[in-house]
Amino acid sequence: MRGRQRDTILMYKRASSKEYPDGFDREQNLGRSPNGLWKDIGNPSWKRPLPHILVATLSSLLFGYHLGVVNETLESISLDLGFSGSTLAEGLVVSTCLGGAFLGSLFSGWIADGLGRRRAFQLCALPMIIGASLSATTSTLGGMLIGRLFVGTGMGLGPPVAALYVAEVSPAFIRGTYGSFTQIATCLGIIGALFIGIPAKDVPSWWRVCFWVSAIPASLLAILMEFSAESPHWLFKRGRIAETEEELEKLWGASHVKYAVAELSKSERGDELDTVKFSELFYGRHVRVVFIGSALFALQQLSGINAVFFFSSTVFKNAGVPSDIGNMCVGIVNLSGSVIAMILMDKLGRKMLLLWSFLGMAVAMGLQGIAACTFLSSSQRVYLSIGGMLLSVVTFSLGAGPVPGLLLSEIFPSRIRAKAMAVCMSVHWVINFFVGLLFLQLLELLGPQILYTIFATFCLMAVAFVKKNVVETKGKTLQEIEIALLPSD
């Protein structure tokens, strides 16, 4: 069976090479199709893939919602379940979710490659529904922790699959814009959780409603994915050519099917159906792109953004602003920056946004450090602290937040794309966990000036890293990027 599938793929590859007799110059022609064939038929319609992408971004909405759902409700949960005053128990309610997310992200690549992108989304929704139900109905701390572990598993599985899916079903000319949808959905999820959680301090057991609400988009994700398109890249990789053409027609229109299949065949090297070994990601021809991806996610977390998110309430309280209003302000600033990033992604490009984003965050962390200086008045400290915090959030949302997930789904070769994304997201969750765990201890040990200087230094390191290692992918097909980046056998 596999032999017949391989023959079919190679037949398409030979046909493609005949259609492009002059070959493909990986440097000079990167960013445009050979012989101008795509120009003859124009860009695919941006409207066709949009409904499928919106369904996929429900996973990102859920990701954001579950990140924010305990923000306003944790106090009520602790009182209801009898662990009020125990910082260890409260920390477990938050961190158990992160532990589940690490497990989910670690196996996301194997699930997405083995079952397909659509089934991976449905599998992501299932533990979120189970976890939300357990959390909403439990009467013990143990039940809450089990529920949060289930939810975290779905949270870890969803984002890498969403990044893959959006990159693989989007036309090249608008892939950056659609790639930003996942970050916008995450922001909307966080804001939604904060908004729904407002009555929790006054209405007994309202926190249970907050968890039940999350089951609605999770159920919609599982149901609507049944009617959404499968990734043509995944189908082609499996040798299912007829289904690839059907999905491409559904996503891009009949006039684009022939050339889309020709594009897919250009990156095939005859081994797409073989199982990718875990060790292949760390040596040989794939090691460079996997290192770039892991380093980008590591620098994203070491920039200190989570410290800003985790402790924004304290900053606003010091300024006399209620925590719920302050958190909502942070959410709105984050959303506004993400919308601007969506507009600029396919105009300025990924690399430019990353550079300016990390540079802006370095300045913002510097302001946070200056705010801790004793020679300033209390009002000056408050203004600098709030200004630095909001600048961190908006500059993060302009590049360092939305770009890495999109960029990595573009630069990874199709053969390793899902599994490499899983590895990089696992790095993201591990560093996220340790930043949250150690921040308060380091703040007490080193002081805010030194700690924020360290964060600013990581931001500047990120600028240098991006400038040296990241390539621009704006307007290029995934096959063109792969051919340009991946060394020959």
Side-chain angles (χ1 to χ4, degrees), residues 182-402:
T182 56
Q183 178 71 10
I184 292 172
T186 301
C187 296
L188 289 173
I190 294 172
I191 292 173
L194 294 173
F195 181 77
I196 293 170
I198 288 174
K201 293 179 180 178
D202 303 315
V203 181
S205 297
W206 180 261
W207 62 269
R208 296 183 187 275
V209 175
C210 297
F211 282 105
W212 278 123
V213 166
S214 68
I216 298 172
S219 301
L220 284 174
L221 176 63
I223 295 167
L224 294 177
M225 260 299 149
E226 196 63 32
F227 306 99
S228 299
E230 180 56 270
S231 163
H233 290 253
W234 182 78
L235 290 169
F236 192 83
K237 189 166 66 171
R238 307 290 288 187
R240 294 155 63 173
I241 307 300
E243 292 174 69
T244 301
E245 293 174 341
E246 288 175 12
E247 298 301 87
L248 282 168
E249 183 174 352
K250 184 190 298 184
L251 289 165
W252 292 4
S255 61
H256 292 271
V257 171
K258 178 182 177 182
Y259 300 120
V261 174
E263 280 288 304
L264 285 170
S265 68
K266 288 194 299 188
S267 61
E268 300 297 335
R269 289 170 170 79
D271 58 356
E272 289 287 342
L273 297 173
D274 298 332
T275 302
V276 179
K277 297 178 181 178
F278 188 76
S279 58
E280 287 184 61
L281 304 178
F282 300 102
Y283 70 86
R285 61 208 305 261
H286 300 307
V287 68
R288 179 172 177 261
V289 287
V290 174
F291 168 73
I292 291 172
S294 300
L296 269 181
F297 270 124
L299 290 166
Q300 180 198 62
Q301 295 305 303
L302 291 170
S303 69
I305 188 61
N306 279 329
V308 172
F309 281 130
F310 291 158
F311 302 102
S312 60
S313 298
T314 305
V315 175
F316 279 112
K317 282 180 181 177
N318 291 339
V321 179
S323 61
D324 52 351
I325 296 176
N327 288 331
M328 195 65 71
C329 288
V330 170
I332 291 170
V333 169
N334 195 12
L335 175 62
S336 302
S338 300
V339 171
I340 295 170
M342 177 191 72
I343 296 169
L344 298 177
M345 194 75 74
D346 285 312
K347 294 180 179 179
L348 296 182
R350 288 54 151 164
K351 186 171 183 177
M352 182 69 71
L353 288 179
L354 271 180
L355 287 170
W356 284 104
S357 175
F358 279 119
L359 191 59
M361 291 179 72
V363 172
M365 290 299 166
L367 291 177
Q368 296 271 57
I370 294 171
C373 294
T374 54
F375 60 80
L376 297 174
S377 66
S378 58
S379 61
Q380 288 174 326
R381 290 183 193 176
V382 168
Y383 289 135
L384 273 177
S385 188
I386 291 179
M389 181 187 65
L390 294 179
L391 182 61
S392 292
V393 173
V394 73
T395 50
F396 173 81
S397 63
L398 284 171

Side-chain angles (χ1 to χ4, degrees), residues 32-273:
R32 66 178 188 271
S33 294
N35 302 333
L37 289 170
W38 287 96
K39 293 179 182 178
D40 295 340
I41 57 175
N43 287 321
S45 170
W46 59 268
K47 296 178 182 178
R48 282 177 173 267
L50 182 59
H52 308 274
I53 289 168
L54 291 177
V55 172
T57 54
L58 284 173
S59 64
S60 298
L61 180 80
L62 286 160
F63 173 77
Y65 187 91
H66 284 291
L67 278 180
V69 72
V70 295
N71 193 299
E72 294 291 334
T73 60
L74 189 56
E75 184 179 343
S76 301
I77 294 170
S78 63
L79 288 169
D80 254 17
L81 301 186
F83 60 88
S84 180
S86 172
T87 54
L88 175 62
E90 291 178 352
L92 283 172
V93 171
V94 176
S95 60
T96 300
C97 193
L98 299 180
F102 170 74
L103 292 175
S105 65
L106 193 61
F107 293 103
S108 62
W110 281 261
I111 293 170
D113 271 349
L115 302 179
R117 311 322 190 210
R118 289 169 61 235
R119 295 291 177 250
F121 278 120
Q122 292 174 321
L123 196 60
C124 149
L126 184 61
M128 285 192 166
I129 295 170
I130 295 171
S133 304
L134 286 172
S135 299
T137 57
T138 187
S139 58
T140 65
L141 173 61
M144 174 59 69
L145 295 180
I146 293 172
R148 293 290 284 168
L149 184 65
F150 269 99
V151 163
T153 304
M155 284 173 62
L157 176 56
V161 178
L164 286 173
Y165 184 81
V166 172
E168 291 175 346
V169 305
S170 300
F173 78 100
I174 202 169
R175 191 171 58 240
T177 300
Y178 283 160
S180 302
F181 279 21
T182 56
Q183 178 71 10
I184 292 172
T186 301
C187 296
L188 289 173
I190 294 172
I191 292 173
L194 294 173
F195 181 77
I196 293 170
I198 288 174
K201 293 179 180 178
D202 303 315
V203 181
S205 297
W206 180 261
W207 62 269
R208 296 183 187 275
V209 175
C210 297
F211 282 105
W212 278 123
V213 166
S214 68
I216 298 172
S219 301
L220 284 174
L221 176 63
I223 295 167
L224 294 177
M225 260 299 149
E226 196 63 32
F227 306 99
S228 299
E230 180 56 270
S231 163
H233 290 253
W234 182 78
L235 290 169
F236 192 83
K237 189 166 66 171
R238 307 290 288 187
R240 294 155 63 173
I241 307 300
E243 292 174 69
T244 301
E245 293 174 341
E246 288 175 12
E247 298 301 87
L248 282 168
E249 183 174 352
K250 184 190 298 184
L251 289 165
W252 292 4
S255 61
H256 292 271
V257 171
K258 178 182 177 182
Y259 300 120
V261 174
E263 280 288 304
L264 285 170
S265 68
K266 288 194 299 188
S267 61
E268 300 297 335
R269 289 170 170 79
D271 58 356
E272 289 287 342
L273 297 173

